[in-house]
Amino acid sequence: MMLQSFRRLARGRQRLPDRLALASCPFLLFFLVTPALAATPALDLTTSFVGFLALAIFTLAYALVMAEERLHMRKSKPVLVAAGIIWGLIGWVYVQAGMSSESEHAFRETLLEFSELMLFLLVAMTYINAMEERNVFDALRSWMVRKGFSYRMLFWLTGILAFIISPIADNLTTALLMCAVVTKVAEGDKRFINLACVNIVVAANAGGAFSPFGDITTLMVWQAGIVHFHEFFALLVPSLVNFLIPAVVMSAFIKNRKPASLEDDIWLKRGARRIIVLFFLTVATAVVCHTLLHLPPVLGMMTGLGYLQFFGYYLRQSLPRSLERKRTRYTQRGDWKKLEQLGSVVPFDVFNRVARAEWDTLLFFYGVVMCVGGLGFIGYLGLLSDVLYTQWHATGANIALGVVSAVVDNIPVMFAVLTMEPDMSHGHWLLITLTAGVGGSLLSVGSAAGVALMGQARGSYTFMGHLRWTPVIALGYIASVVTHLWLNGASFALHG
C-alpha cells in the first residue's frame, strides 16, 4: 500500500500524506526529497531551446566549480548565477503559456525545503565552530600526539570512525567531525589532509549506504516499501569493500611519520564538555522531532541552537566569578603560565560562531539544489531514467546511475528511478541503493560530505586533489558492485 501511494505521488496524481512523508527520516538530508517531489513538469521542455540552454548553463557552472582550485573562485558563485538563469528561463516560458502559478509553486517548494536544509546545516556548523573555539579539537589533537599516533594510524582511525558513525547519524556530520580532527592534527600538511579527507568522504558515504538512516537515497527506497529495514544490511559487506579497497591503496602512499610535537599544552576552555553534551542533546532533539512528533528535524536543531544560546549567556554572566576563582587557584599553585593565559580569555559569543559558518558551502548547496530542481522540473531527470531502463539492462543502468550521481545529486536520480518504476528484482533495487549511495564518492562534488569538506579544509582538500584518487575509488566502486552481485545473486531473480 505504501509503495502504491509513493508511485501515485511519483506520477503527480496525489501528494504523500505528511505523516508518511516525515516518518522514519534520517535527520539531515531529508529535506532534499521535496524539491524532487516539486519537480513534476507541467510542460515538457526537454527538446526546446530553453531546455537545451538550461542544460548548457548548468554544465558551464559545474565546469567552473571543478576549476575552483585553478581559478581561485569560490564554488558558490557560478551555481548561484546558473540557478537564477535556469529558473528565470522556466518562469518566462510558463508566463508565456499562462501557467505562471505552476512554476512559482515548484520554485517555492524547492526554496522552502532548501531553507530547512540550510538552517539544519547552520546549527551543525555553529556547534562545530563553538567546539573549536573551546579548544575541543586542539585538545584532541594534543591527545593524539601524546598517544603517538602516526599519520597512517590517524588515516585509518578517522576512516573507520566515519564508516561506523555515518549509518547511525549521517555522512555529512560525520565527515565534518572527522575532517576537523584531521585538519587539527596535521595542520599545514596539505598533502596528508587531502588524502585523509578523500578517505573520510569514501568511508562516510559507504557507511551510509547500508542503513536507512545513513543516506536520503536509502530512506527513499525504504519509505517506498521496496526494501525492508533489515534487508539493507545485505549491503554491509559491499559497502565495507567500497571503503577498504581505496583506503588500503591510499594508505600505502602515506609516510609513516608522526605530526610535529606541540610546544604548548592545550587545555579545554570552560564549558567545552558541556557544549559537546549540548550538541548530542540537539541531535537527539532533532531525532525525536521527526520520529515521535512527525515534525521536520530542523525544529529540533533550531531548538538546540537555543540551548547553546542559553549556555552562552550563562558563560558570559559567570565569567568574572570563574576568572577570579582560577586566579586564586593558579596563584596558590604558582602556575604562572596558566595565570598569564587568563588575561587572554574573551567572553563566549554564539553569534560569532554563527558568523564563522561555512557560508560558501551553504550558498553552493542553494545553487545546486535549485539548478537540479529546475532541470527536474523541465523534465530531464525523468527522460534520463526512461532512456536507461527502456534501452539498457537494469544492472548496467543502475551502475551507470551511480556514476551519474557523482555529478548530479543522487536524490533526484533516485527519485527518477522510483518515478519510472522499472520492473526490477530485489537485487537490482539493492544495487541502485548501493550505487547511488557510494557513487558520489567518485568526485568531491558528488556528495554532501565532499562538498562540505571542500569548504572546511579549503586549500587542502580540493576537487583536483580528490580527482587524482578517482581511479582508485572507482576500483572500490566496481569491487563493491561485484561483491553485491556475488553475495546477493539469489535476490536478482524476478518473482511474478
Side-chain angles (χ1 to χ4, degrees):
M1 191 68 180
M2 183 185 297
L3 177 58
Q4 291 174 351
S5 297
F6 191 95
R7 287 170 177 169
R8 284 195 297 269
L9 169 67
R11 296 189 185 101
R13 292 201 292 263
Q14 71 174 41
R15 295 185 61 85
L16 194 65
D18 292 340
R19 186 171 66 85
L20 177 61
L22 296 178
S24 307
C25 295
F27 57 85
L28 184 57
L29 290 182
F30 157 80
F31 314 110
L32 287 183
V33 177
T34 305
L37 301 182
T40 304
L43 299 174
D44 183 5
L45 304 178
T46 53
T47 57
S48 68
F49 172 76
V50 167
F52 294 142
L53 182 58
L55 270 181
I57 291 170
F58 180 68
T59 303
L60 175 61
Y62 244 93
L64 293 176
V65 170
M66 294 175 182
E68 176 191 15
E69 184 179 7
R70 177 168 297 182
L71 298 177
H72 303 290
M73 179 175 64
R74 291 185 181 273
K75 57 185 176 291
S76 60
K77 295 179 180 179
V79 291
L80 283 173
V81 175
I85 296 176
I86 289 173
W87 278 100
L89 291 172
I90 293 172
W92 179 76
V93 170
Y94 273 76
V95 167
Q96 297 299 313
M99 304 170 63
S100 59
S101 61
E102 299 279 350
S103 58
E104 179 186 6
H105 177 72
F107 179 83
R108 287 185 183 276
E109 285 291 317
T110 307
L111 180 62
L112 174 63
E113 299 307 326
F114 165 76
S115 300
E116 294 183 0
L117 171 65
M118 186 198 73
L119 291 174
F120 192 106
L121 292 176
L122 185 62
V123 176
M125 290 177 176
T126 299
Y127 265 101
I128 290 175
N129 289 334
M131 287 187 278
E132 183 177 17
E133 191 270 342
R134 295 284 102 178
N135 288 344
V136 171
F137 300 119
D138 285 332
L140 181 58
R141 180 181 76 164
S142 177
W143 176 80
M144 286 188 172
V145 171
R146 290 197 306 272
K147 285 291 185 180
F149 290 138
S150 64
Y151 276 166
R152 188 168 294 168
M153 179 64 72
L154 176 65
F155 174 88
W156 280 107
L157 182 62
T158 54
I160 291 172
L161 286 175
F163 184 84
I164 293 173
I165 296 173
S166 59
I168 303 169
D170 65 86
N171 49 11
L172 176 57
T173 302
T174 302
L176 286 171
L177 291 175
M178 293 300 104
C179 178
V181 173
V182 167
T183 53
K184 286 297 182 182
V185 175
E187 190 171 7
D189 193 334
K190 293 185 177 181
R191 183 179 181 276
F192 173 75
I193 293 175
N194 180 79
L195 199 61
C197 285
V198 173
N199 185 50
I200 289 169
V201 170
V202 174
N205 289 338
F210 68 89
S211 166
F213 297 96
D215 193 273
I216 191 61
T217 54
T218 58
L219 164 72
M220 295 172 73
V221 177
W222 179 39
Q223 185 171 281
I226 295 174
V227 179
H228 298 297
F229 184 88
H230 66 279
E231 293 173 334
F232 283 95
F233 295 101
L235 297 176
L236 172 59
V237 175
S239 297
L240 189 61
V241 169
N242 181 269
F243 157 56
L244 287 178
I245 288 182
V248 169
V249 175
M250 289 188 290
S251 66
F253 290 86
I254 299 174
K255 295 180 180 178
N256 200 18
R257 56 191 180 89
K258 297 181 179 180
S261 300
L262 296 176
E263 298 180 0
D264 299 326
D265 291 331
I266 304 297
W267 51 288
L268 291 173
K269 293 183 181 180
R270 189 170 66 100
R273 293 181 180 87
R274 283 171 285 183
I275 288 178
I276 296 174
V277 172
L278 287 177
F279 176 66
F280 284 107
L281 179 60
T282 298
V283 171
T285 305
V287 173
V288 167
C289 277
H290 87 267
T291 55
L292 298 182
L293 304 179
H294 304 298
L295 294 171
V298 68
L299 172 63
M301 292 301 287
M302 293 302 292
T303 303
L305 182 60
Y307 302 159
L308 186 60
Q309 287 183 315
F310 268 107
F311 185 64
Y313 173 79
Y314 163 77
L315 289 178
R316 290 194 303 274
Q317 294 299 111
S318 59
L319 180 60
R321 295 193 303 273
S322 175
L323 290 177
E324 186 59 34
R325 287 195 302 269
K326 289 180 179 179
R327 285 193 188 97
T328 302
R329 184 165 63 251
Y330 295 154
T331 301
Q332 292 173 350
R333 294 178 183 175
D335 194 339
W336 310 115
K337 185 175 182 180
K338 286 190 176 180
L339 189 63
E340 182 181 354
Q341 289 177 332
L342 290 179
S344 61
V345 172
V346 295
F348 179 80
D349 189 344
V350 172
F351 291 104
N352 281 341
R353 300 305 100 201
V354 174
R356 290 175 61 86
E358 185 47 58
W359 287 100
D360 182 49
T361 298
L362 294 175
L363 293 176
F364 175 77
F365 270 120
Y366 165 83
V368 169
V369 169
M370 301 309 292
C371 283
V372 173
L375 293 178
F377 190 65
I378 288 173
Y380 282 117
L381 296 180
L383 179 63
L384 174 64
S385 179
D386 183 48
V387 170
L388 286 174
Y389 286 102
T390 300
Q391 302 180 18
W392 291 23
H393 188 269
T395 301
N398 290 336
I399 295 172
L401 284 174
V403 177
V404 170
S405 70
V407 180
V408 179
D409 192 86
N410 60 356
I411 295 162
V413 169
M414 177 61 81
F415 184 78
V417 175
L418 292 170
T419 303
M420 180 62 187
E421 194 186 327
D423 187 17
M424 295 196 301
S425 66
H426 178 71
H428 282 115
W429 281 110
L430 285 175
L431 178 60
I432 185 59
T433 302
L434 173 69
T435 56
V438 303
S441 301
L442 293 169
L443 298 176
S444 62
V445 296
S447 66
V451 172
L453 263 58
M454 280 199 298
Q456 189 173 18
R458 179 178 292 112
S460 298
Y461 174 62
T462 61
F463 176 85
M464 294 304 299
H466 188 109
L467 189 63
R468 295 187 188 100
W469 297 102
T470 293
V472 177
I473 300 170
L475 183 63
Y477 178 79
I478 295 170
S480 65
V481 171
V482 172
T483 302
H484 171 59
L485 295 175
W486 173 51
L487 290 180
N488 305 312
S491 64
F492 282 84
L494 279 171
H495 301 287

